[in-house]
Amino acid sequence: MNIKKEICRLILLGITVLALPASGTERVQAGVWNDTDGNPINAHGGGILEHDGVYYWYGERKGDHTYRSPGVGWECYRTEAGGVSCYSSRDLKNWKFEGVALKPDTADHTSDIHPTMVIERPKVVYNDKTRKFVMWMHIDNHSYSAARAGVAVSDSPTGPFTYIRSERPNNSESRDMTVFKDDDGKAYHIYSSEGNSTLHISLLSDDYLSQSGSFCRNFPNRFREAPAIFKKDGKYYMVTSGCSGWSPNEAEWAVSTTIMGPWTPMDNPCRGKDADKTFYGQSTFILPVGKGSDRSFIIMFDKWKKDDLVDSRYIWLPIRFNGDTLTIPWTDTVDLTGSATDFAAE
Ligand code: GAL
């Protein structure tokens, strides 16, 4: 063996190892999150579907120009509705842009998905019986007074999704929303209603394309928005925001033994600096990662920039449990395996 050569090889190996990022499973919260083409990820108010080992991230595709809706009293900042983006990933870190899965209808000025409308908080679930991907989203007009839910369908997770219609579910207003698919294959539409004062949970039809007619009213007069929901050890957990437009407020978690309630509102799960402002974020989705006893949960927040909405950022944090109590401590980097074991003490 040539000792000199071997020493050089070992030094080079050491340098290479040191130059590698600390871990391939971590993401730094701060800064712009780019896709694999180097473009900022444009998928706000989004959610993630895992299908056949691939994660699909759907979200609002915001236009470049932010403006205030004319004639609307409150701080109604808007961009053109650019439809719904789709990104794919196997590791939750590297996201490939798959295109605009639901394209806006630029031709028909009366369409729900014309760029002058509001298309927010899209969520996609897969229907095992029909083998269709079903997207629900908040559809609104320039003043958010339409308060409707739209539905679209596709044969493929990356789209194209075909827009079907919008409705006021169960004849009630529907703004911020999510969709939750339970272990038994039933899916639920969860939406802020009654002037955002009350959160409805509505069982969808077997094909997920309409409401079944069975729904419940939760948290009356508590004005909860931005619902994100998951199930752990037979219990249902929900994180919501308060109701202050694009400005941050205090989150709240709630728990129930059945999805249709009664839900018990708890307190603010956030811990650390700016916990009373949800770290300047607003909940949008809770993603289960891993299987069985290794299963953990990552909560996704939007960090809105109301005067430049397309530059809004993302915050993802693992959820931590102390028994049945849920907490969300701040961490500067997020472990994308959802591991919550190495958090600093609260
Ligand atoms: C927030 C809501 C966002 C968006 C915004 C409009 O309360 O969570 O999704 O609708 O209002 O101001």
Side-chain angles (χ1 to χ4, degrees):
M1 186 201 296
N2 181 329
I3 299 284
K4 259 192 188 165
K5 260 192 181 173
E6 185 60 10
I7 290 172
C8 281
R9 196 184 68 81
L10 288 174
I11 289 172
L12 274 177
L13 189 72
I15 291 170
T16 315
V17 167
L18 283 175
L20 286 173
S23 159
T25 62
E26 286 184 354
R27 182 180 265 294
V28 177
Q29 305 282 11
V32 176
W33 294 12
N34 285 336
D35 65 16
T36 50
D37 294 327
N39 298 315
I41 293 174
N42 190 344
H44 309 275
I48 291 179
L49 168 75
E50 186 188 0
H51 188 76
D52 288 344
V54 179
Y55 294 101
Y56 297 93
W57 177 358
Y58 304 90
E60 302 157 18
R61 189 158 190 83
K62 297 219 173 271
D64 287 338
H65 173 56
T66 301
Y67 57 94
R68 264 183 87 157
S69 249
V72 182
W74 52 283
E75 276 198 323
C76 188
Y77 286 95
R78 305 268 325 275
T79 69
E80 288 214 321
V84 176
S85 305
C86 177
Y87 295 81
S88 69
S89 176
R90 285 186 179 272
D91 58 7
L92 293 174
K93 184 165 182 173
N94 299 292
W95 290 96
K96 175 174 177 261
F97 181 48
E98 296 284 358
V100 183
L102 176 71
K103 292 201 168 46
D105 183 343
T106 51
D108 179 359
H109 285 258
T110 66
S111 166
D112 281 349
I113 54 171
H114 187 267
T116 53
M117 296 290 282
V118 165
I119 306 173
E120 286 182 347
R121 299 191 174 268
K123 303 290 177 302
V124 175
V125 277
Y126 178 66
N127 189 300
D128 302 275
K129 286 187 195 140
T130 62
R131 299 191 176 176
K132 304 272 186 202
F133 297 84
V134 179
M135 177 188 293
W136 282 87
M137 70 211 92
H138 172 196
I139 294 289
D140 230 316
N141 57 21
H142 75 289
S143 63
Y144 286 74
S145 61
R148 299 174 75 81
V151 59
V153 69
S154 174
D155 292 326
S156 151
T158 53
F161 279 79
T162 305
Y163 188 72
I164 304 175
R165 65 171 194 289
S166 72
E167 65 187 23
R168 279 199 161 174
N170 306 299
N171 292 321
S172 10
E173 287 184 347
S174 175
R175 291 194 180 85
D176 277 12
M177 53 140 281
T178 193
V179 175
F180 175 73
K181 180 178 166 183
D182 209 340
D183 306 329
D184 59 4
K186 289 183 176 164
Y188 299 82
H189 182 205
I190 298 145
Y191 52 93
S192 300
S193 194
E194 305 179 35
N196 294 340
S197 69
T198 304
L199 198 80
H200 288 193
I201 300 183
S202 174
L203 173 66
L204 291 173
S205 57
D206 286 349
D207 61 7
Y208 302 168
L209 297 177
S210 47
Q211 313 290 330
S212 70
S214 166
F215 75 104
C216 60
R217 299 172 62 246
N218 306 278
F219 319 121
N221 294 318
R222 288 182 76 85
F223 290 87
R224 304 313 300 170
E225 284 194 326
I229 186 167
F230 68 100
K231 186 180 188 180
K232 181 179 185 293
D233 301 332
K235 282 191 180 167
Y236 299 84
Y237 296 85
M238 196 187 312
V239 176
T240 56
S241 76
C243 200
S244 54
W246 303 114
S247 304
N249 54 52
E250 194 172 83
E252 185 176 89
W253 71 282
V255 62
S256 178
T257 49
T258 62
I259 186 150
M260 294 300 243
W263 284 82
T264 308
M266 304 302 283
D267 54 11
N268 180 7
C270 299
R271 300 284 184 276
K273 189 169 180 292
D274 301 320
D276 58 336
K277 294 260 184 290
T278 316
F279 320 114
Y280 290 90
Q282 186 184 28
S283 45
T284 184
F285 194 75
I286 295 171
L287 174 70
V289 284
K291 298 258 181 294
S293 57
D294 278 345
R295 175 165 267 210
S296 49
F297 299 87
I298 293 176
I299 181 161
M300 301 162 60
F301 298 94
D302 294 286
K303 190 174 180 183
W304 300 117
K305 218 186 233 188
K306 66 182 174 191
D307 51 1
D308 188 8
L309 282 166
V310 71
D311 195 31
S312 299
R313 306 290 168 84
Y314 311 102
I315 299 169
W316 291 5
L317 290 167
I319 290 179
R320 178 179 178 176
F321 291 90
N322 297 324
D324 276 358
T325 302
L326 180 163
T327 56
I328 307 171
W330 172 260
T331 51
D332 291 338
T333 55
V334 55
D335 184 336
L336 297 167
T337 64
S339 164
T341 48
D342 50 5
F343 284 158
E346 284 163 41

